[in-house]
Amino acid sequence: MRIASIDIFRALTMVLMIWVNDFWTLTDIPKWLQHANASEDYMGFSDIIFPLFLFIVGLSIPYAIENRLAKKESKSLIAKHILIRSLSLLLIGVFMVNYENAHHESILIGKYFWGLLMAFAILLIWMNWKKSPIQKKWHIYFQALGFIILVFLAVIYNGGSQGESWMKTHWWGILGLIGWAYLLNGLVYLYSKRNITTMVILLGIFNVLSVLNQTDKLIFENDIITLFSTLYTGTIPAFTTAGIVATLVFKKLSGTNVKWCYICLTGLGVLHIVFGMITRPYWGISKIQGTPSWLTICTGIGFLMFTMLYYITDVKKQTSWAKIIAPAGTATLTCYMIPYLIYPIYVITNIKFPGILNSSIIGLFMSFVFSLLVVVFTGWLEQKKYKLKL
């Protein structure tokens, strides 16, 4: 069973993610659209997008797992799928975050050609070749070439001007953080017999960890690996847990009492936002610091957005407005990867556009057009049966 609102929510979030990720090419754009700095008690529009995507990952987990169970797959096989998918996200995330930190002059082929090859290798490895028009005998060779390229890129990588810095996890990257959140929540949901009480308790634990982290009770020293700094604060996986809770509430009530379904989901959204606003004086709102106020406000927005989109798209059947962005919801990874091919080419070729196209309102409009073009191109690739799949 596919819920139109989840696909459209995912598509809308991906379009906005590509848009805000393009802000680095612009000048003179409003502060409220940008990411807040680490020291600011502030949340810009850009700071909301990634939490919403994590929330959507949670919305999808119950349906994905139940579909596999309906096909008589064993729990161990599903757990294996979750593990492989998560490790794939972590691997891609590590390469992407190291691309951001690469030192152009110290890499044999330069930072931008390195990034272009990285994106190309990811396409080769994770393309769903089975459903592509390419003959089956070539699939293994394409994937093997992709892995060879990644190994080559890892060998020549340099993140420092003096050759002292090799690849590091840093903050795992966007896809890496999604991988950790998906791994933990997917396994807990699978082995808790899809129990809503368990997921509510898990959400509470993550929120408590987020609060404790802000009171300096869980601050570890540098000898603890980055993995724990990602998970022990609770903030990142909490968004995904909240998405699972939203789906379970929806599944429990939508079939028997739609009115109470709307009331519960809206109430959860409002309560989270109110909690975040009330506690703001204690911790501030900060994405970089991962404060509880940022966590709960963005989570509340997730609950409200899902409720609104469900009413519009699944109840009222108003989906035509979202047709143009639909590929971003069904071929999301493909859509996310395309800019990683475009940006290096943009820098390498030294393409220059008139300044007016990269500034202020016109620049924002052009960036949004770029985001839509990426989605349209993704849709064309999907029609040709070229789509990434983890």
Side-chain angles (χ1 to χ4, degrees), residues 43-164:
M43 183 173 69
F45 178 77
S46 297
D47 296 321
I48 301 172
I49 308 304
F50 179 50
L52 290 182
F53 195 87
L54 288 167
F55 186 87
I56 295 163
V57 171
L59 289 175
S60 304
I61 283 175
Y63 290 105
I65 289 179
E66 286 168 20
N67 284 340
R68 288 182 173 273
L69 289 171
K71 296 176 182 177
K72 306 301 181 182
E73 290 188 18
S74 65
K75 287 187 178 180
S76 59
L77 186 60
I78 297 173
K80 178 182 176 181
H81 169 77
I82 292 172
L83 180 61
I84 292 174
R85 199 177 190 189
S86 300
L87 290 176
S88 298
L89 287 167
L90 289 169
L91 179 61
I92 299 172
V94 167
F95 270 87
M96 285 185 167
V97 79
N98 278 279
Y99 170 51
E100 295 173 5
N101 292 275
H103 188 258
H104 178 66
E105 290 77 11
S106 302
I107 295 180
L108 178 65
I109 58 178
K111 171 180 179 176
Y112 302 104
F113 193 58
W114 190 97
L116 185 61
L117 284 179
M118 174 199 71
F120 180 63
I122 291 170
L123 293 177
L124 288 174
I125 296 170
W126 284 282
M127 182 67 68
N128 189 7
W129 294 113
K130 291 181 180 180
K131 293 188 176 181
S132 74
I134 304 297
Q135 292 183 22
K136 184 178 180 179
K137 66 179 181 179
W138 296 106
H139 299 175
I140 187 65
Y141 296 110
F142 287 148
Q143 290 182 312
L145 176 59
F147 279 111
I148 290 171
I149 292 174
L150 286 187
V151 171
F152 168 72
L153 294 177
V155 169
I156 68 170
Y157 181 82
N158 198 322
S161 59
Q162 302 301 318
E164 75 283 0

Side-chain angles (χ1 to χ4, degrees), residues 211-361:
V211 170
L212 291 177
N213 180 61
Q214 294 302 311
T215 59
D216 295 330
K217 292 181 180 179
L218 286 176
I219 301 298
F220 293 124
E221 300 298 329
N222 291 332
D223 58 342
I224 302 297
I225 61 174
T226 311
L227 163 60
F228 292 107
S229 68
T230 299
L231 297 180
Y232 76 81
T233 64
T235 304
I236 294 300
F239 291 116
T240 301
T241 313
I244 294 176
V245 170
T247 289
L248 294 179
V249 170
F250 166 78
K251 287 171 66 68
K252 188 176 183 64
L253 296 177
S254 62
T256 57
N257 195 323
V258 176
K259 180 180 178 181
W260 272 107
C261 180
Y262 292 146
I263 291 173
C264 286
L265 290 175
T266 302
L268 285 169
V270 171
L271 285 173
H272 275 82
I273 292 174
V274 169
F275 177 86
M277 298 305 294
I278 291 175
T279 58
R280 180 180 181 179
Y282 297 98
W283 306 302
I285 301 175
S286 174
K287 174 185 177 182
I288 303 301
Q289 298 176 42
T291 63
S293 300
W294 172 69
L295 164 60
T296 52
I297 289 173
C298 292
T299 298
I301 294 172
F303 278 111
L304 296 179
M305 284 290 295
F306 172 54
T307 306
M308 180 182 68
L309 286 172
Y310 176 75
Y311 179 77
I312 293 172
T313 62
D314 289 291
V315 176
K316 294 299 183 180
K317 307 298 181 183
Q318 299 296 317
T319 59
S320 58
W321 61 274
K323 284 184 179 179
I324 189 173
I325 64 172
T330 56
T332 309
L333 183 58
T334 311
C335 192
Y336 185 76
M337 284 304 307
I338 288 173
Y340 281 87
L341 290 168
I342 296 174
Y343 286 136
I345 294 174
Y346 173 79
V347 175
I348 291 170
T349 57
N350 198 30
I351 296 174
K352 299 292 183 183
F353 296 102
I356 192 173
L357 298 179
N358 299 318
S359 179
S360 194
I361 295 177

